[in-house]
Every structure is written in C-alpha cells, then in structure tokens.
Amino acid sequence: MTKKIASIFLLTFVFSMVSEAQITASQDVIGRSESNVISTAASFLLIAPDSRAGGLGDVGVATSPDINSQHWNAAKYIFAQQRMGMSLSYTPWLKNYVDDMSISYLAGFNKIKENQAVGYSLTYFSLGDMAFTDDNGSTLKQFTPREFALDVSYSLKMAENFSAGLTMRYINSNLTGGLTVNNSEETHAGHSVAGDIAAYYFKDFEMFNRTTVFSAGAQISNIGTKMSYSANNQNFIPTNLKIGASLRMDLDEYNSLTFAVDVNKLLVPTPPIYNSTGDSIISGKSDDVSVPVGIFQSFNDAPGGFSEELHELSYSFGLEYWYANTFAGRAGYFTEHSEKGGRKYLTFGVGVNLKALSFDFAYLVTTTASNPLQNTVRFTLGVNFDKLMKNR
C-alpha cells in the first residue's frame, strides 16, 4: 500500500463511512453473508497499546493489575502492588506496508488513599506523512493525519476484593488537516468526549494444594458523543463491551501460571441491508440513531438475526508464566468471525522486572495470508516509583 493509496483510503473513510456501509449492505442482498463489518470513527481506541496485553492475545480486563490497566480496566489500580507507576509503549503500526505509522501510549497511576486511585493516559496515533491527491493525481496537500485520546480515571475500592472505576476521555481525530473536497465540502478535525465504566473482582482459594487467584472484570468503554469530520456526517465512536476472567496458580515459591480470556462486543449499530435502490431497509434496523439507542439496539439489530449477533463477538485467550516475579513469558490468540473482519492471530511476549524498571516486548503472527498485522511488534518501558524511591 503506497502513501497515495493510503491517502485515498482516508478520504473515503472520512466522507463515505456511512454511505459505504449501506452500499456494501445493499450489494449483499443477492449473495448475502460474505461480510457486514461495523465501521466507527477513532477505531484506534480498540488497539491494544501495551506489550503485556499485546503478548496475551489482547487480553486485559481481568488480568492482574499493572501500570497499563487504564486502557483495559481502571478499577484494577486499587489492587496494584505498587502505589505509583508510569509506562511508555510504542508500536510501529502496519510496518510491512507503511514505514512511518505508529502508536504511542503513555500511562500512569497513583493511589491517593488506600481505597482510591487515579489514573491517566495519552494515546497518540500517527498515520505518517501523506500526500492528498485529486482525481488527476495532482497533490492537493501534504499532511500527517493523527489521532489522540487523553484520559483520566478514578477507581474506588468497594469491598475487600471488589472495585469500580470511571474514566473520562477526550478524543481528537484530525485526518485531513482541514482539506476542502470538490471545492465545497469543508472538513475539520473530529472531536468527542467519552467515558468508561469498569469493575474488577478477585478471590483467593486453594486448588490442588496451591494458592490460586480467580479474577473477573468487565468494562464498557468509549461511551460518548458521535464524531463528525464535516457538516454532513455523524459517526459512532467504538463503544465496546469487554468481559473477562483469569485464573492464576502459584506452582511453587518462584513459579506461577495465569490463563485469561476476554470476550468483546461493539455496542454500535450493525449496518442494515437495503434494497437494490438503497432507499429502503429490507433486513435489520436503521443505524441512523442516537448513541443511547445505538448501544441497546446493538444487541438485536443484526440483519442475519441471532446467529449474526453471535458473530459480532470476538475472543482473546492468553497464557502468562512468571518466574520469581522477574521474568515473564506470554502467549495468546485472538479470533474474530470472518463476517465481522476476520482477524485471527497468535501473539508472543516476554517481560523482565529489574529493580524499579520493567521491560516488555510483544510479537504478533497472523494465521491468515497477506494480513497487514503480520509481524506487529510492541515495546513497553515501565517505572515502579515505589522501588525507585526506596533505592535512593
């Protein structure tokens, strides 16, 4: 994919997102069931930003608390072993096709009391330098499209082993730099304000004479206003429901093993199927609805009925091994139905804790041919301020 092609893709995405979905749906009338992908603005919000979760197949809502819990489940911060930490993650994105696209993620937290914590994060997605061209191939503008999200969270310990969290988020998506299309369609950066609601629970018990911890978590993320890039469009942001569980067993004094699973569902309306002229819905429900209606409607609006609703679930599985809380090995698998995007990949990762610093790395291997995610890598550097202050 050249930069010129990427530019054309971006323009198509910005100005034709809703109509493109409707056209695709109407073409499915004759030979239905190939795909009915749900499109949203600011989809970068769903990308796993850190290396630990990236090595676990994008699992994170119920795993043990870490510095990057802000993205997965801010309620976990209350039960973190440290009182304060910060991390920086970097992911070259689609590096097999574009050499200057990347995702950077800065996250941190601080326990302000024994039962309260605040978290914060900044996600920055750079799409690289692009040349926007007209139909004749003449350059209209040179621009670097970029998106970012700024978060702050508050989490509260509700019981000895249960907590809840609330996150507020500002989202900015500047894909065109104010480019005017066809001498009439003025564009602007998209803005949205959103929030997350999260909960976390864990329970210690004995299994096979070994200390075991069961954890469960849930989060509804990106509950927020629609985003527009011009006066004539309104696009949903990726409101998402994530539910998960994990089981960690201490094999002995030094070795532990964790298995975790997450289930995701976009709480965004599914594009309906239109007739051949595109002016009447023949299956499904209209996706031109408000955000609250869209959230509730997303559970029963798929044109293919209940079976298609089940296809909208994606699954993540992760396995993590720790030795002496110093070295970690990770593996995971992510799968999504072909009708809803068809992403399927294996992930691998390692982690090292060295006094006050931690290093994590993740690598992604796709299980389908010619997948643009192939060979994705992630890097994360973390700082444990408790140990840093102690070592002084």
Side-chain angles (χ1 to χ4, degrees), residues 79 157-163 200-204 214 216:
F79 300 109
K157 186 177 181 180
M158 310 290 288
E160 184 177 355
N161 54 359
F162 175 76
S163 61
Y200 179 71
Y201 168 84
F202 72 94
K203 179 69 175 177
D204 298 338
F214 169 79

Side-chain angles (χ1 to χ4, degrees), residues 109-131:
F109 77 100
N110 182 23
K111 292 183 181 178
I112 54 178
K113 293 183 179 180
E114 288 300 322
N115 65 338
Q116 299 177 61
V118 293
Y120 50 88
S121 70
L122 171 64
T123 307
Y124 183 81
F125 184 25
S126 172
L127 283 77
D129 187 40
M130 295 185 181

Side-chain angles (χ1 to χ4, degrees), residues 67-285:
I67 300 173
N68 298 295
S69 295
Q70 178 84 350
H71 176 84
W72 303 98
N73 184 343
K76 297 194 295 183
Y77 279 139
I78 288 295
F79 300 109
Q81 294 182 352
Q82 62 198 82
R83 294 189 60 85
M84 184 177 181
M86 182 179 292
S87 70
L88 178 63
S89 301
Y90 179 76
T91 303
W93 195 241
L94 304 182
K95 67 186 187 70
N96 290 344
Y97 298 87
V98 183
D99 59 8
D100 56 357
M101 188 180 296
S102 64
I103 301 171
S104 301
Y105 182 65
L106 176 68
F109 77 100
N110 182 23
K111 292 183 181 178
I112 54 178
K113 293 183 179 180
E114 288 300 322
N115 65 338
Q116 299 177 61
V118 293
Y120 50 88
S121 70
L122 171 64
T123 307
Y124 183 81
F125 184 25
S126 172
L127 283 77
D129 187 40
M130 295 185 181
F132 290 81
T133 61
D134 58 20
D135 293 338
N136 299 319
S138 300
T139 299
L140 298 174
K141 186 174 186 176
Q142 199 78 20
F143 182 65
T144 301
R146 51 190 177 270
E147 300 178 294
F148 71 86
L150 182 63
D151 305 355
V152 61
S153 70
Y154 171 78
S155 52
L156 178 66
K157 186 177 181 180
M158 310 290 288
E160 184 177 355
N161 54 359
F162 175 76
S163 61
L166 176 66
T167 302
M168 295 304 296
R169 175 173 299 114
Y170 168 71
I171 308 160
N172 182 290
S173 177
N174 190 354
L175 299 181
T176 64
L179 186 71
T180 298
V181 179
N182 296 327
N183 297 319
S184 60
E185 187 76 15
E186 294 185 359
T187 69
H188 54 77
H191 304 271
S192 179
V193 177
D196 303 347
I197 301 173
Y200 179 71
Y201 168 84
F202 72 94
K203 179 69 175 177
D204 298 338
F205 62 97
E206 293 287 326
M207 186 168 67
F208 305 123
N209 295 321
R210 292 179 172 85
T211 301
T212 305
V213 180
F214 169 79
S215 303
Q219 177 179 256
I220 302 178
S221 59
N222 305 315
I223 308 169
T225 59
K226 291 183 180 182
M227 182 175 288
S228 66
Y229 297 95
S230 71
N232 300 318
N233 70 80
Q234 289 282 330
N235 306 302
F236 285 94
I237 62 173
T239 306
N240 184 70
L241 170 65
K242 182 187 293 287
I243 299 174
S246 72
L247 191 70
R248 191 195 80 219
M249 178 180 288
D250 294 335
L251 304 178
D252 54 37
E253 184 179 357
Y254 297 100
N255 300 278
S256 68
L257 194 64
T258 299
F259 175 74
V261 58
D262 283 2
V263 181
N264 285 273
K265 172 144 186 2
L266 275 174
L267 303 184
V268 177
T270 304
I273 297 177
Y274 287 79
N275 61 8
S276 58
T277 59
D279 57 6
S280 177
I281 296 175
I282 61 175
S283 183
K285 298 181 180 181

